[in-house]
Amino acid sequence: MIGGKYQKLDADENRKAHKSKSLKTLAISIGLGLVVAYAVISVLIIEVKGRQALKTPEEWRELIKEHGYERQETDARSPCPMLNTLANHGFIARSGRHIKSDDLFKAMMLMGAPPTVTAGFLKKVYRDYHEADPQRSFFSQFSSMETLDLDRLTVAGLLEHDVSLSRNDLRLPPYSTVDPIPDYVHRMHKIAQVANKGTEFEGIFTRKNENDARRIRWLESYSHNKYIHLSLFHQFASSTECSLLLDIIGRDGAITLPHLTSFLLNQTFPDDWHPRETSYSFKELATKPLRCWKGLRDSTATLELLDQLEH
Ligand code: HEM
Ligand SMILES: *[C@@H]1O[C@H](CO)[C@@H](O)[C@H](O)[C@H]1NC(C)=O
């Protein structure tokens, strides 16, 4: 008898528990739904906003007329050829100082960078380069900085890394990654000239050439720089920079030799260049850096090739 009463109570409890559980599930579903909807709408807004900044070649030619090359010795510059070029032409502050995330975003969109990825990347950059101020509260260090000076990008271990194409490792002369090393850019030319002679790629620097150039830079850093460090993360970052060079500055894995010099060495927009007319897509992001990465692993270039090029 008593057992039966308890059984009924148990059943009541069960029903109540079940009801509140399904209410909870419903609330969680609605909450998740809202979060997903918010994320989708945010991405759409960023993707649309990013595409609005794209220019046709004609629009670019008009725009660049009001953005001539001008560079002062006192200007702050970075290890990034693209950011330096944008600053040299006043698409971001020519001084290279006090640059807001939004200004960088706009300049990136003008170049055809992928909108959502760039927005996320810049969020991280403005957080990661924010230094803890010993005079401020402990928690203040976790906020983002308001503005960026380009020379801050030379801080090692964040984005800046060894084995760059156009800069020397920070621990090797000139102990600065701001200025390109002319010999490295000339070498890239030679690699392309020798490898592509008599082919359809004559006068062009290809992904294969980049892979060989980077391989040689890696080999020489590995044998001459006791303090070399290229973490797995930075190996992938290098592969992404390979694609930035060949698919955003260049197109479809190729860049002409004069354009290569203009961007990497002179850090100026060539007269006969115009930015991409469509944003770098998610599909490109998923495939092109990987092709750079695989090409570097597969490259058979050696330091002997370097000797041959120099003689
Ligand atoms: C359209 C967008 C961009 C393009 C086409 C681009 C292109 C490049 C290329 C080709 C390199 C390699 C240079 C070399 O190996 O010598 C590079 C390096 C670098 N970039 Fe950019 N970049 C872009 C956006 C950015 C942004 C938004 C930032 C940071 C705010 C940035 C920061 C850097 C840094 C710190 C390096 C040096 C890495 C190293 O040590 O080699 N770049 N970039
Ligand atoms: C780079 O600058 C040098 C010296 O100012 C100039 O002679 C050369 O034509 C420039 N090359 C390119 C491709 O912009």
Side-chain angles (χ1 to χ4, degrees):
M1 284 302 272
I2 292 169
K5 197 172 161 194
Y6 279 130
Q7 262 167 17
K8 187 172 176 303
L9 274 179
D10 273 357
D12 277 354
E13 288 288 304
N14 260 342
R15 220 177 300 122
K16 261 191 225 155
H18 196 80
K19 205 169 158 195
S20 86
K21 201 173 156 202
S22 59
L23 270 178
K24 244 188 234 158
T25 316
L26 184 67
I28 290 172
S29 308
I30 291 177
L32 278 179
L34 285 175
V35 168
V36 170
Y38 176 78
V40 169
I41 290 170
S42 307
V43 166
L44 280 178
I45 290 174
I46 295 172
E47 290 291 317
V48 169
K49 198 172 124 191
R51 279 175 179 73
Q52 282 166 351
L54 294 168
K55 299 277 177 258
T56 65
E58 297 73 42
E59 286 171 329
W60 171 259
R61 267 190 285 281
E62 284 306 308
L63 187 65
I64 193 74
K65 278 183 195 159
E66 302 143 28
H67 285 268
Y69 178 98
E70 222 174 276
R71 166 82 206 267
Q72 242 100 65
E73 264 315 300
T74 50
D75 293 338
R77 289 294 179 264
S78 77
C80 177
M82 184 79 260
L83 295 182
N84 292 355
T85 303
L86 287 163
N88 288 342
H89 287 264
F91 288 105
I92 51 178
R94 289 184 188 271
S95 67
R97 296 190 178 86
H98 311 301
I99 299 170
K100 292 201 183 73
S101 174
D102 206 39
D103 299 336
L104 262 189
F105 181 78
K106 282 185 188 133
M108 293 295 105
M109 293 308 99
L110 187 62
M111 297 294 104
T116 305
V117 177
T118 303
F121 176 73
L122 288 178
K123 264 220 152 59
K124 187 156 167 51
V125 165
Y126 277 69
R127 220 170 254 279
D128 289 355
Y129 285 83
H130 185 216
E131 234 354 72
D133 177 348
Q135 295 154 291
R136 292 189 58 203
S137 82
F138 172 78
F139 290 103
S140 70
Q141 66 187 302
F142 300 110
S143 60
S144 290
M145 55 188 183
E146 295 291 315
T147 67
L148 170 75
D149 290 356
L150 290 184
D151 51 356
R152 281 281 299 162
L153 294 172
T154 60
V155 173
L158 290 167
L159 288 176
E160 204 286 315
H161 56 77
D162 287 344
V163 193
S164 306
L165 293 172
S166 64
R167 270 66 172 170
N168 216 357
D169 297 352
L170 196 56
R171 293 290 288 263
L172 299 180
Y175 310 107
S176 160
T177 53
V178 167
D179 291 316
I181 306 291
D183 278 352
Y184 289 164
V185 181
H186 296 149
R187 177 199 292 173
M188 291 164 82
H189 267 245
K190 280 197 188 147
I191 288 175
Q193 275 162 350
V194 170
N196 304 343
K197 199 169 175 180
T199 74
E200 56 180 316
F201 297 115
E202 205 156 337
I204 288 173
F205 186 81
T206 64
R207 212 182 295 277
K208 166 108 184 24
N209 301 146
E210 195 278 351
N211 298 147
D212 291 345
R214 180 84 68 177
R215 176 103 184 165
I216 288 175
R217 285 284 303 113
W218 201 355
L219 288 169
E220 71 186 342
S221 283
Y222 187 74
S223 49
H224 302 317
N225 180 5
K226 181 178 180 187
Y227 306 101
I228 181 185
H229 184 54
L230 191 67
S231 67
L232 187 60
F233 169 79
H234 287 117
Q235 291 168 42
F236 277 108
S238 302
S239 305
T240 305
E241 288 152 17
C242 156
S243 180
L244 293 176
L245 176 66
L246 298 172
D247 303 305
I248 290 193
I249 298 176
R251 295 303 127 81
D252 297 322
I255 184 168
T256 68
L257 292 179
H259 286 186
L260 185 74
T261 305
S262 190
F263 279 99
L264 288 192
L265 197 55
N266 296 17
Q267 303 190 128
T268 179
F269 286 111
D271 292 334
D272 62 345
W273 181 89
H274 60 83
R276 287 174 64 113
E277 291 176 76
T278 56
S279 301
Y280 187 91
S281 66
F282 283 110
K283 191 179 155 208
E284 285 179 274
L285 185 67
T287 55
K288 290 180 167 173
L290 265 182
R291 273 164 59 190
C292 285
W293 182 79
K294 184 162 188 313
L296 173 58
R297 297 299 326 172
D298 293 347
S299 166
T300 53
T302 60
L303 287 176
E304 283 81 70
L305 175 66
L306 196 56
D307 290 337
Q308 287 164 24
L309 290 175
E310 271 157 21
H311 297 120

